[in-house]
mmCIF file of all heavy atoms in Angstrom:
data_model
loop_
_atom_site.group_PDB
_atom_site.id
_atom_site.type_symbol
_atom_site.label_atom_id
_atom_site.label_comp_id
_atom_site.label_asym_id
_atom_site.label_seq_id
_atom_site.Cartn_x
_atom_site.Cartn_y
_atom_site.Cartn_z
ATOM 1 N N TRP C 98 33.339 74.000 22.699
ATOM 2 C CA TRP C 98 31.977 73.586 22.309
ATOM 3 C C TRP C 98 31.798 73.679 20.789
ATOM 4 O O TRP C 98 31.247 72.780 20.153
ATOM 5 C CB TRP C 98 30.956 74.472 23.033
ATOM 6 C CG TRP C 98 29.530 74.321 22.588
ATOM 7 C CD1 TRP C 98 28.904 74.968 21.570
ATOM 8 C CD2 TRP C 98 28.541 73.450 23.154
ATOM 9 N NE1 TRP C 98 27.600 74.573 21.473
ATOM 10 C CE2 TRP C 98 27.338 73.641 22.430
ATOM 11 C CE3 TRP C 98 28.545 72.532 24.211
ATOM 12 C CZ2 TRP C 98 26.160 72.949 22.728
ATOM 13 C CZ3 TRP C 98 27.366 71.845 24.502
ATOM 14 C CH2 TRP C 98 26.201 72.052 23.771
ATOM 15 N N PHE C 99 32.272 74.780 20.212
ATOM 16 C CA PHE C 99 32.025 74.990 18.783
ATOM 17 C C PHE C 99 33.052 74.304 17.874
ATOM 18 O O PHE C 99 32.764 74.017 16.714
ATOM 19 C CB PHE C 99 31.980 76.488 18.465
ATOM 20 C CG PHE C 99 30.723 77.127 18.963
ATOM 21 C CD1 PHE C 99 30.746 78.024 20.022
ATOM 22 C CD2 PHE C 99 29.492 76.815 18.390
ATOM 23 C CE1 PHE C 99 29.579 78.602 20.501
ATOM 24 C CE2 PHE C 99 28.316 77.397 18.863
ATOM 25 C CZ PHE C 99 28.359 78.285 19.921
ATOM 26 N N LEU C 100 34.263 74.055 18.389
ATOM 27 C CA LEU C 100 35.333 73.587 17.502
ATOM 28 C C LEU C 100 35.731 72.127 17.716
ATOM 29 O O LEU C 100 36.387 71.539 16.849
ATOM 30 C CB LEU C 100 36.583 74.468 17.688
ATOM 31 C CG LEU C 100 36.392 75.939 17.330
ATOM 32 C CD1 LEU C 100 37.655 76.729 17.629
ATOM 33 C CD2 LEU C 100 36.012 76.089 15.844
ATOM 34 N N ALA C 101 35.326 71.545 18.836
ATOM 35 C CA ALA C 101 35.879 70.221 19.184
ATOM 36 C C ALA C 101 35.616 69.170 18.110
ATOM 37 O O ALA C 101 36.454 68.299 17.863
ATOM 38 C CB ALA C 101 35.315 69.757 20.525
ATOM 39 N N HIS C 102 34.462 69.272 17.439
ATOM 40 C CA HIS C 102 34.127 68.216 16.495
ATOM 41 C C HIS C 102 35.008 68.241 15.249
ATOM 42 O O HIS C 102 35.018 67.300 14.476
ATOM 43 C CB HIS C 102 32.662 68.324 16.083
ATOM 44 C CG HIS C 102 32.386 69.569 15.301
ATOM 45 N ND1 HIS C 102 32.235 70.797 15.899
ATOM 46 C CD2 HIS C 102 32.262 69.786 13.973
ATOM 47 C CE1 HIS C 102 32.020 71.722 14.979
ATOM 48 N NE2 HIS C 102 32.031 71.132 13.807
ATOM 49 N N ARG C 103 35.754 69.336 15.070
ATOM 50 C CA ARG C 103 36.629 69.400 13.903
ATOM 51 C C ARG C 103 37.871 68.534 14.067
ATOM 52 O O ARG C 103 38.581 68.269 13.113
ATOM 53 C CB ARG C 103 37.104 70.837 13.702
ATOM 54 C CG ARG C 103 35.954 71.812 13.545
ATOM 55 C CD ARG C 103 36.379 72.934 12.668
ATOM 56 N NE ARG C 103 35.281 73.834 12.437
ATOM 57 C CZ ARG C 103 35.308 74.780 11.537
ATOM 58 N NH1 ARG C 103 36.403 74.940 10.804
ATOM 59 N NH2 ARG C 103 34.282 75.571 11.352
ATOM 60 N N PHE C 104 38.174 68.196 15.309
ATOM 61 C CA PHE C 104 39.400 67.417 15.517
ATOM 62 C C PHE C 104 39.130 65.941 15.280
ATOM 63 O O PHE C 104 38.038 65.455 15.546
ATOM 64 C CB PHE C 104 39.922 67.638 16.938
ATOM 65 C CG PHE C 104 40.412 69.033 17.145
ATOM 66 C CD1 PHE C 104 39.628 69.967 17.791
ATOM 67 C CD2 PHE C 104 41.637 69.432 16.635
ATOM 68 C CE1 PHE C 104 40.069 71.266 17.954
ATOM 69 C CE2 PHE C 104 42.088 70.731 16.802
ATOM 70 C CZ PHE C 104 41.296 71.651 17.459
ATOM 71 N N HIS C 105 40.139 65.286 14.791
ATOM 72 C CA HIS C 105 39.975 63.890 14.439
ATOM 73 C C HIS C 105 39.620 63.056 15.672
ATOM 74 O O HIS C 105 38.729 62.213 15.633
ATOM 75 C CB HIS C 105 41.274 63.375 13.796
ATOM 76 C CG HIS C 105 41.137 61.977 13.344
ATOM 77 N ND1 HIS C 105 40.239 61.595 12.369
ATOM 78 C CD2 HIS C 105 41.760 60.840 13.752
ATOM 79 C CE1 HIS C 105 40.321 60.288 12.183
ATOM 80 N NE2 HIS C 105 41.238 59.810 13.021
ATOM 81 N N SER C 106 40.332 63.298 16.762
ATOM 82 C CA SER C 106 40.080 62.511 17.966
ATOM 83 C C SER C 106 40.085 63.427 19.180
ATOM 84 O O SER C 106 41.114 63.984 19.550
ATOM 85 C CB SER C 106 41.151 61.435 18.128
ATOM 86 O OG SER C 106 41.175 60.991 19.474
ATOM 87 N N ARG C 107 38.894 63.582 19.784
ATOM 88 C CA ARG C 107 38.813 64.434 20.967
ATOM 89 C C ARG C 107 39.694 63.918 22.098
ATOM 90 O O ARG C 107 40.274 64.697 22.837
ATOM 91 C CB ARG C 107 37.361 64.497 21.468
ATOM 92 C CG ARG C 107 36.490 65.449 20.687
ATOM 93 C CD ARG C 107 35.322 65.932 21.531
ATOM 94 N NE ARG C 107 34.492 64.849 21.997
ATOM 95 C CZ ARG C 107 33.497 64.323 21.296
ATOM 96 N NH1 ARG C 107 33.213 64.753 20.094
ATOM 97 N NH2 ARG C 107 32.774 63.344 21.809
ATOM 98 N N ARG C 108 39.765 62.592 22.216
ATOM 99 C CA ARG C 108 40.567 62.002 23.292
ATOM 100 C C ARG C 108 42.040 62.398 23.161
ATOM 101 O O ARG C 108 42.700 62.705 24.153
ATOM 102 C CB ARG C 108 40.388 60.484 23.259
ATOM 103 C CG ARG C 108 41.364 59.697 24.079
ATOM 104 C CD ARG C 108 40.710 59.075 25.313
ATOM 105 N NE ARG C 108 41.749 58.544 26.206
ATOM 106 C CZ ARG C 108 41.893 58.894 27.462
ATOM 107 N NH1 ARG C 108 41.066 59.732 28.019
ATOM 108 N NH2 ARG C 108 42.861 58.387 28.201
ATOM 109 N N ARG C 109 42.552 62.419 21.916
ATOM 110 C CA ARG C 109 43.951 62.821 21.709
ATOM 111 C C ARG C 109 44.137 64.292 22.066
ATOM 112 O O ARG C 109 45.105 64.670 22.709
ATOM 113 C CB ARG C 109 44.399 62.604 20.253
ATOM 114 C CG ARG C 109 44.401 61.174 19.764
ATOM 115 C CD ARG C 109 45.268 60.244 20.552
ATOM 116 N NE ARG C 109 46.710 60.484 20.445
ATOM 117 C CZ ARG C 109 47.613 59.815 21.145
ATOM 118 N NH1 ARG C 109 47.251 58.877 22.008
ATOM 119 N NH2 ARG C 109 48.904 60.073 21.015
ATOM 120 N N VAL C 110 43.206 65.154 21.624
ATOM 121 C CA VAL C 110 43.319 66.583 21.932
ATOM 122 C C VAL C 110 43.306 66.795 23.444
ATOM 123 O O VAL C 110 44.094 67.572 23.984
ATOM 124 C CB VAL C 110 42.183 67.385 21.253
ATOM 125 C CG1 VAL C 110 42.298 68.863 21.577
ATOM 126 C CG2 VAL C 110 42.194 67.173 19.750
#
Side-chain angles (χ1 to χ4, degrees):
Chain C
W98 171 273
F99 287 111
L100 298 177
H102 66 281
R103 303 211 177 191
F104 292 101
H105 183 63
S106 160
R107 280 205 301 274
R108 167 109 191 123
R109 297 302 292 175
V110 180

